[in-house]
Amino acid sequence: MKEIANLIKLDFTSVKRKIIIPFISIILLVFALELFTLPYVMCLFVMPFIGDFVQPVFSVVEKNRYNKLYGLLPIKRNNIIIARFCFALIILLSTVILAIVLGYITFLFPTGEINDTINEAKSVAEELQKGGFTVELAASLGFMIGCIVTSYVCTLTFIFGIENQLQANLIFASVTGAIVFICIKAFDISIYAVMNKLAEFISNNIALTFILTYLIGISFLALGALISILVCRKREL
């Protein structure tokens, strides 16, 4: 456990200069957007991709050949992978807190007579908040999607390396998209009907949805870590 904690610190130290300024810039941009649009911008449009801040860690490790250094030290490969996914989880959970805080701060700002469209958007946000689609719930959905995307990206990067990760992403996304499209056509699935049922389930089971989103998100990260460990272990044999 101590080794994993030290590896997380090492990951953060390796990339803190590369991610802190972009991260702060995104937060400020999102805050400005939320003031003039919806308090859910951070939750639903930024959080799903926040895991990309883990990517510089892979670049630094490969560029500085840390893998060779790890091979000389008594560090388990499994712990390196677990630490990388834990680092991603910490970033995502930190973003959840920021998203909730930013969301409630923007609710405090009066829109005044800035623009009719902006006032309407704010009114919609307030109605959603009262109706149960709170900032916390939006953040939990953003967290779940962010975990799925991050798990997918990190797993492919561990398997194929940072240089081949982009090609692997495109191929995997294309194959997955093709499979989904074929299933929709073969089983005559209505996306509109599915979305309606999903929205109905969320509105009727807000507390359960809140719990499930975090469990599903963390489960995807754990699955990504497990697949990465198994593939890397097999490669070393």
Side-chain angles (χ1 to χ4, degrees):
M1 196 68 184
K2 186 178 180 181
E3 185 174 276
I4 293 172
N6 288 333
L7 286 167
I8 294 171
K9 289 178 185 176
L10 179 61
D11 281 349
F12 177 73
T13 304
S14 302
V15 296
K16 62 181 178 182
R17 292 183 180 179
K18 293 179 180 288
I19 67 173
I20 287 177
I21 293 176
F23 190 76
I24 292 173
S25 302
I26 287 174
I27 296 299
L28 293 174
L29 175 63
V30 166
F31 183 60
L33 285 171
E34 289 189 347
L35 282 176
F36 298 104
T37 54
L38 290 169
Y40 302 103
V41 172
M42 182 72 172
C43 302
L44 300 178
F45 300 105
V46 178
M47 282 185 63
F49 306 102
I50 210 73
D52 285 340
F53 282 99
V54 182
Q55 286 294 81
V57 180
F58 289 97
S59 300
V60 169
V61 167
E62 290 202 11
K63 184 179 179 181
N64 295 288
R65 300 176 184 269
Y66 282 1
N67 286 332
K68 290 187 176 180
L69 176 63
Y70 291 152
L72 296 173
L73 297 172
I75 298 174
K76 294 179 181 178
R77 177 72 177 178
N78 291 3
N79 287 345
I80 295 171
I81 295 171
I82 292 169
R84 193 70 45 82
F85 277 90
C86 286
F87 179 59
L89 178 61
I90 290 168
I91 291 176
L92 286 160
L93 287 173
S94 301
T95 312
V96 167
I97 297 168
L98 279 170
I100 294 170
V101 171
L102 286 177
Y104 276 103
I105 288 174
T106 54
F107 274 122
L108 298 175
F109 281 82
T111 54
E113 298 298 327
I114 300 172
N115 183 284
D116 288 340
T117 305
I118 293 172
N119 289 335
E120 285 175 10
K122 285 288 186 181
S123 297
V124 169
E126 288 172 2
E127 288 300 318
L128 286 170
Q129 182 79 0
K130 292 175 183 176
F133 191 71
T134 60
V135 173
E136 293 94 336
L137 182 59
S140 70
L141 290 168
F143 171 80
M144 181 185 72
I145 299 169
C147 284
I148 293 170
V149 174
T150 303
S151 176
Y152 155 77
V153 171
C154 287
T155 302
L156 290 181
T157 307
F158 268 118
I159 294 171
F160 297 102
I162 194 71
E163 292 182 359
N164 302 315
Q165 180 255 342
L166 180 59
Q167 296 93 315
N169 275 348
L170 291 173
I171 293 170
F172 188 83
S174 300
V175 172
T176 304
I179 292 171
V180 171
F181 180 77
I182 290 169
C183 289
I184 289 171
K185 289 295 182 182
F187 298 101
D188 194 24
I189 298 170
S190 170
I191 297 175
Y192 181 75
V194 171
M195 293 302 293
N196 273 344
K197 287 182 180 179
L198 183 61
E200 186 181 349
F201 174 83
I202 291 173
S203 62
N204 293 331
N205 303 276
I206 291 174
L208 180 60
T209 302
F210 190 78
I211 295 168
L212 283 175
T213 48
Y214 283 100
L215 288 177
I216 292 169
I218 293 171
S219 296
F220 264 92
L221 285 178
L223 179 62
L226 179 61
I227 292 170
S228 301
I229 288 170
L230 292 175
V231 171
C232 291
R233 186 182 293 171
K234 189 176 180 180
R235 189 181 294 165
E236 291 173 356
L237 293 176

